[in-house]
């Protein structure tokens, strides 16, 4: 049976595809967020209620400084995770900051690595960006491994950089440019 979500895919890999957030994704997204709290904490806090999801998804769709992508398993259409490009700046900078999370059922299966590659291609292609950044807390080994595996380079360390879970958290700064991607 053909997957109805396939027509909405922006890019496809062997096992996953990416597509924009929609209001209809709320029930699945929030259920997966609730099931994944142990995996996500203390690193990230995706919306786990319908109300929270509605505002979150609307901002990703409506704000020109943001772009959100759901990473979906091609065989079933199930949402494996999400990757957002935040703080998009155009003009001479053409940059954005990535935020992402896998859902528990998909963690450790390489699906997010494949999805991240698709988002990077979309960012450097149709979105016209030149640079992507990832800010990861030093203890978040899974996030750092994903950044490193996708070819991002470590550019620095910023103490007390982002306010998360009630405190200012240190972050490693990773980056990838379109030229780095082309030269491998």
């Amino acid at each position: 049976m053909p997957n109805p979500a396939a027509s909405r895919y922006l890019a496809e890999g062997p096992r996953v595809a990416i597509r924009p957030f929609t209001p209809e994704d709320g029930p699945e997204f929030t259920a997966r967020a609730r099931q994944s709290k142990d995996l996500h904490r203390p690193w990230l806090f995706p919306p786990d209620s319908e109300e929270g999801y509605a505002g979150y998804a609307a901002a990703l769709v409506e704000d020109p400084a943001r772009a959100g992508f759901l990473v979906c398993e091609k065989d079933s259409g199930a949402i494996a995770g999400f990757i957002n490009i935040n703080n998009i700046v155009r003009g001479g900078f053409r940059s954005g900051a990535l935020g992402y999370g896998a859902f528990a059922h998909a963690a450790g299966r390489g699906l997010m690595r494949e999805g991240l590659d698709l988002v990077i291609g979309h960012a450097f292609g149709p979105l016209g960006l030149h640079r992507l950044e990832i800010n990861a807390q030093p203890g978040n080994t899974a996030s750092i491994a994903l950044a490193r595996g996708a070819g991002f380079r470590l550019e620095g360390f910023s103490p007390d950089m982002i306010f998360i879970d009630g405190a200012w958290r240190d972050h490693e700064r990773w980056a990838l440019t379109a030229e780095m991607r082309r030269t491998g």
Side-chain angles (χ1 to χ4, degrees), residues 44-45 60 64 80 103 120 142:
L44 72 151
F45 299 81
L60 289 168
F103 289 125
I120 292 167

Side-chain angles (χ1 to χ4, degrees), residues 90-107:
R90 304 285 180 187
F93 199 42
R94 292 188 297 154
S95 180
L98 294 175
Y100 46 78
F103 289 125
H105 76 283

Side-chain angles (χ1 to χ4, degrees), residues 61-162:
V61 171
E62 297 167 9
D63 185 345
R66 299 179 76 189
F69 306 92
L70 293 173
V71 177
C72 301
E73 296 183 63
K74 281 177 48 178
D75 62 350
S76 66
I79 300 171
F82 56 95
I83 302 172
N84 301 329
I85 306 175
N86 302 298
N87 306 320
I88 295 172
V89 178
R90 304 285 180 187
F93 199 42
R94 292 188 297 154
S95 180
L98 294 175
Y100 46 78
F103 289 125
H105 76 283
R109 296 173 43 205
L111 302 176
M112 290 299 291
R113 174 65 187 88
E114 188 178 322
L116 180 57
D117 189 56
L118 295 173
V119 170
I120 292 167
H122 190 76
F124 291 155
L127 290 181
L129 298 182
H130 170 260
R131 177 182 173 87
L132 293 171
E133 299 176 3
I134 293 172
N135 298 302
Q137 294 179 58
N140 190 343
T141 57
S143 184
I144 290 170
L146 188 58
R148 185 179 285 118
F152 284 70
R153 69 177 170 225
L154 179 63
E155 291 193 333
F157 178 83
S158 295
D160 301 330
M161 182 179 182
I162 303 173

Side-chain angles (χ1 to χ4, degrees), residues 13 24 32 39 59 87 99 101 105 123 126 138 158 173 175-176 180:
E24 295 77 28
R32 293 198 185 282
L39 175 67
N87 306 320
H105 76 283
S158 295
R173 296 185 328 275
L176 180 71
M180 290 168 60

